[in-house]
Amino acid sequence: MALGYVRPARPEDAGEIARIQLATWRVAYRRILPRHVLDNLDEAFLARRWSAAVLEPPSSAHRVLVAVEQAEQSYLVGFAASGPADGEALAPGEPADALGPDVAAVTDLLVEPRWGRRGHGSRLLAAAVDLWREDGLSRAVAWAFDADEATRKFLTSTGWEPDGAARALDVDDMLVPQVRLHVGVPSEPVSGESQE
């Protein structure tokens, strides 16, 4: 029987996080982002960025979590990164203080497609919510590509909803629309929510 759990990322996980990010983007975003952009992503560069995120986060509330599938062997299968909302979480033209100091921003939430539908995304999100609650954050936001139905469906199935904000990322002269979703962070753990 396979078991899954979530733990804080360690420095030695950076390479595997980068591999998961690259593999997932190349599958999930192949019809959303230009192919040459996905083909030219540098795994070593991504690994250095993840290493810095784990070793030198901007604050104690910035965290990278990893999902582990444990069977005969253990495999890193997904990850989530979040922290207090900053300018990257804002919509175009939104004032700098629009989200407030009590808002978390999810910057990444990915599970490698071959490990999907095994509860890893839900465990990552539940662990992040527990940490946001500990940090006194009362709301969370996340940007999703408008065409990324899987991410939007997953988030809305867990209570997230669009907050009306939209933007378009300029990816090599191609505008890729995104929508922002938000959710309230319950002040108490929800029945059945992870206590990790």
Side-chain angles (χ1 to χ4, degrees):
M1 181 171 103
L3 300 173
Y5 63 92
V6 171
R7 65 167 171 77
R10 302 173 186 143
E12 62 268 23
D13 296 329
E16 193 64 1
I17 292 170
R19 185 199 63 75
I20 292 167
Q21 181 178 20
L22 205 51
T24 304
W25 280 21
R26 286 181 173 160
V27 171
Y29 300 154
R30 70 182 183 275
R31 289 186 171 82
I32 298 172
L33 300 175
R35 181 181 178 143
H36 69 277
V37 170
L38 293 172
D39 288 345
N40 291 324
L41 289 171
D42 180 15
E43 191 170 327
F45 170 76
L46 294 174
R48 286 190 299 275
R49 290 190 61 193
W50 286 114
S51 180
V54 171
L55 287 169
E56 302 166 359
S59 77
S60 62
H62 285 81
R63 297 184 178 91
V64 179
L65 302 172
V66 294
V68 178
E69 171 97 5
Q70 186 175 351
E72 292 177 19
Q73 287 184 276
S74 292
Y75 305 93
L76 249 58
V77 297
F79 67 95
S82 67
D86 59 14
E88 295 295 314
L90 296 172
E94 212 168 27
D97 61 352
L99 294 176
D102 62 337
V103 178
V106 176
T107 56
D108 291 278
L109 177 60
L110 297 172
V111 174
E112 193 173 356
R114 65 185 169 137
W115 297 102
R117 299 195 148 320
R118 297 169 71 94
H120 297 298
S122 296
R123 281 188 286 278
L124 283 164
L125 196 52
V129 168
D130 286 344
L131 293 169
W132 299 336
R133 187 182 302 110
E134 286 176 21
D135 292 334
L137 302 172
S138 63
R139 197 165 68 97
V141 297
W143 287 99
F145 290 115
D146 195 44
D148 183 1
E149 290 183 32
T151 296
R152 288 188 300 108
K153 185 176 178 180
F154 169 69
L155 289 174
T156 57
S157 75
T158 62
W160 294 65
E161 49 189 27
D163 69 1
R167 67 183 182 188
L169 296 184
D170 185 347
V171 181
D172 200 29
D173 289 332
M174 177 180 166
L175 293 178
V176 184
Q178 290 187 310
V179 295
R180 190 172 64 195
L181 295 100
H182 72 122
V183 71
V185 175
S187 57
E188 298 286 328
V190 177
S191 176
E193 189 177 289
S194 168
Q195 295 295 310
E196 296 180 49

